[in-house]
Structure formats: C-alpha cells, structure tokens
Amino acid sequence: SPVLSALSTTCILPPVMLRGLHCVSIPEVGWRRVVTHTVGCGRRALSLWHHVPKGPEDGNKATTAAFKADPSPKKVNLGEGIYKNDQGKTWVLDSVRKAERLVVAQNLDMEYAPIAGIPNFVKAAKHLAFGAENPAVQEGRIVSVQSLSGTGALRVGATFLSRYLPPTTPVFISDPTWVNHLGIFGHAGFTDVRKYRYYNRKTNELDFDGMCEDFQNAPSRSVLVLHASAHNPTGLDPTQAQWNQLSKICMERNHVCYFDSAYQGFASGNPVTDSFAYCKFLEDGHDVLVAQSFAKSFGLYGQRAGALHLACASKKEAEAIESQLKIVIRPMYSNPPLHGARIVMTILNDPELSKTWYQEIEAMSSRLRSMRVKLVASLAKAGSQRNWNHIPRQIGMFAFSGLTPDQVARCAKDFHIYMNKDGRIAIAGLNTSNVDYVGECFHAVTKE
C-alpha cells in the first residue's frame, strides 16, 4: 500500500532466510516479501548482509600491501610475482609495445569475441604450446579455447572435469603449490582435494620418490594437477627422465593429467624446453589438459590472455568437447577480452616480432639465473655457513628460501624485506642494488 511504501522498504527472499522477519506471502512465486521497517534515515533495522563474515586476506596481496605501506627507503618486495628489470622497474617488452602499436593502427572494432576466443589467437597459442607440426595438432585432436589467463583456463577446465568425471573423483595438488589451485578446484565443485608429496623441506630438494609413491597409490583416474615448468612456489622441476617415469605411472593408473603452464619460455628461456613435460605425456598417449598463461612470458599481467587445451582421441571428440567448453564459458564470463590476445597473436604471427620476443624471454630468464647465483654469493660474503645451493638449482620466477615463518617475520620487521610466510621469494625482486642487502638480512635471521 502507499502507506506501507512510505514507512518501509521491501525485498524478496527465499523462505530459508526468513526466520524472525515480518513477511507477506507471495504464493505465485513461492517466495515472500519481507517488510523491514526503516530506522533513522532510511536504514533497515537488520541489514540483508549481516550474516556475511569477513574473509581472509589473500597472502600474496597482503605481502605487497605491507610493502607499499612501509616508508623505509631500504624496503624490498620479494613477494610479488611480476618480472622487474635490474632497475627494479616492471618491464613492458619491446615486442609487446611494437605489437600494440600495430594493433592500434589497424583501428579494429570492439565487438564481442567468439565464446571460444579469437580464432587466430587460439591457433597461435596452440602452436606455441605444442608445436605446429605436432601430430595431435595436425590431426585436429587438440581442442583449444581462449581464456582469462592461466587462472581462467584452470577454472574452465576444472568445471568441465567436474561435470564429466564421477562426483567422487579426487584431485591431487602438489605440496606445496600455487595458492589458487585449491580454491579453483574447490569452487569448480570438487569436494575431495588432496596433496601429493613434492618438496622435501629438510633437504630443499624434490621428493621424487614420495611423488611417485603418491601417484601410484592415488585412486585410478584421479585428477593430478602438475606444474609444466618453474614449479610455483619451489622452483624445482622433475628432470626429463623423471617426467618419463611419471608419465608411465600415470598411464598405468589411468590418471587425468592437468598441466598448469604459466611460464613457457620464461622458465628456461626456451619455449620448447618448458613444454617438454606435457608434450611427452601427449606423445605417450595421455589425454592431457594444459592451462596456458601469457602473463609472465609476455609481461601481460593485467591483460588476462591465456588458453585452455585438451587432447582428445579424435577430431570428432574434440568438436564435442569444444561445444561443452563453450557451454561452461558462456554463463561464466560469456567471451574473453580482445586486446591482450591481439598483442600475443600479432607477435607470434610476425617473424621479426617473434624473434624479438624469443630474445626477450631469454634475457629475462638469464637475469633471474644470475640473481640466484649473486644471492648465494652475497650470503657467503655476509658470512653465512649454511648451504644455500638449492637456490641456483631452482628455476623460474620463484625460489623456496628455506626461511621459517618467524625468520620471514623478522625480515619484514627489522630489515623491511617482504616475502610470503612460507619463505617463497620472487627472484625478480632482486637486483644488483639490493642483493647484497638481502644476503646480509638472510644471514642475520638464520645464523642463530
């Protein structure tokens, strides 16, 4: 009524949320109109969202926030997974700048991309991931769709798997792993997410025997989430011989092998080297899934360019799976963004830009390798007697330092050096101006 409208606000809620509230039935929809009398200047007596708890802050973002809030001129951020040059600046690749100018000069439209993405981008991404001459590519047995970087690819693939695998299927993630893996598979509907052994914290080495044993003992047809290269957070990868052995175990156990490829080219400086694991599994007959990101290797962190690839038994099967992936994507985000994908495909389809990009990823990889060596040298110079040789043996963006949470906390409090609580450090945060200082700090917190 007009009087009721003047005195109160209304909202529609399902019956489960109506305890203790004054309601008016609306039989035709099976819901009820809740009358919440206003208090003061139009505020409800009881907020609709009073029952929503505050969630925990993302650990990676919390590290960066603490760094930014610190006024110290000595502060160092070793938590953020973004490549920095030796001046501590985020580097936009020359190949990316040139490609972007070419894209803008074309005066392209801003219409929606297809649900599966820009065809030329999807083709270029597939060829980079597997090689244009790969038999599975030539035979049309790999279905590929554009995604919102690697995270989006993982989520789309996880949702697809949750629909077409038995509901009790367990998912195994490495211990430790990237913080987002657990949330991605949990939100996709998997209720049984377990860990497999990966890192031996006592020796700072790969626990390969434990890994093999866990893969062998996992229920048949489990989903195994594998890092294609530059394992995050440890920086430790199996050797090619070890990947061969893991492939045999997974084939015997009929496991679903899902590769997270976030660092192709960035890890070793060679995209072919960094794709060895999943290409070997594909060659051995696995129907692999690969989540491909262009954030690190192209420096397109905020452009969200990526792709999801699934290997199939036939071209007909690939066509069916593509149709189902579109059904997953449509209500999730409808279609992917244009700009970053256009930059990537411009680089990969232009011989000169592609050559420049290959040189740039080698330069990034080389700088990270050199900073690992310099950090160990700085620790020795500071007087450390500990064995830090695991750091140069690791690869990629991150290193597992071996520092304890208490030592990490002291680094931040006493030395203004910030990293994740588990001791993971972003090697890209090191440069010739701060590496000695970081070495002195690490020695100071570990010598006791």
Side-chain angles (χ1 to χ4, degrees), residues 102 345-355:
L102 291 174
M345 72 182 190
T346 298
I347 293 171
L348 294 179
N349 291 326
D350 184 292
E352 285 302 314
L353 289 178
S354 184
K355 179 180 178 180

Side-chain angles (χ1 to χ4, degrees), residues 19-32:
R19 295 185 182 90
L21 298 177
H22 177 59
C23 309
V24 179
S25 296
I26 309 178
E28 64 272 20
V29 296
W31 287 35
R32 297 183 181 182

Side-chain angles (χ1 to χ4, degrees), residues 47-65:
S47 167
L48 290 177
W49 317 119
H50 73 281
H51 59 289
V52 178
K54 183 178 179 180
E57 188 173 9
D58 181 273
N60 290 352
K61 305 306 179 186
T63 300
T64 298

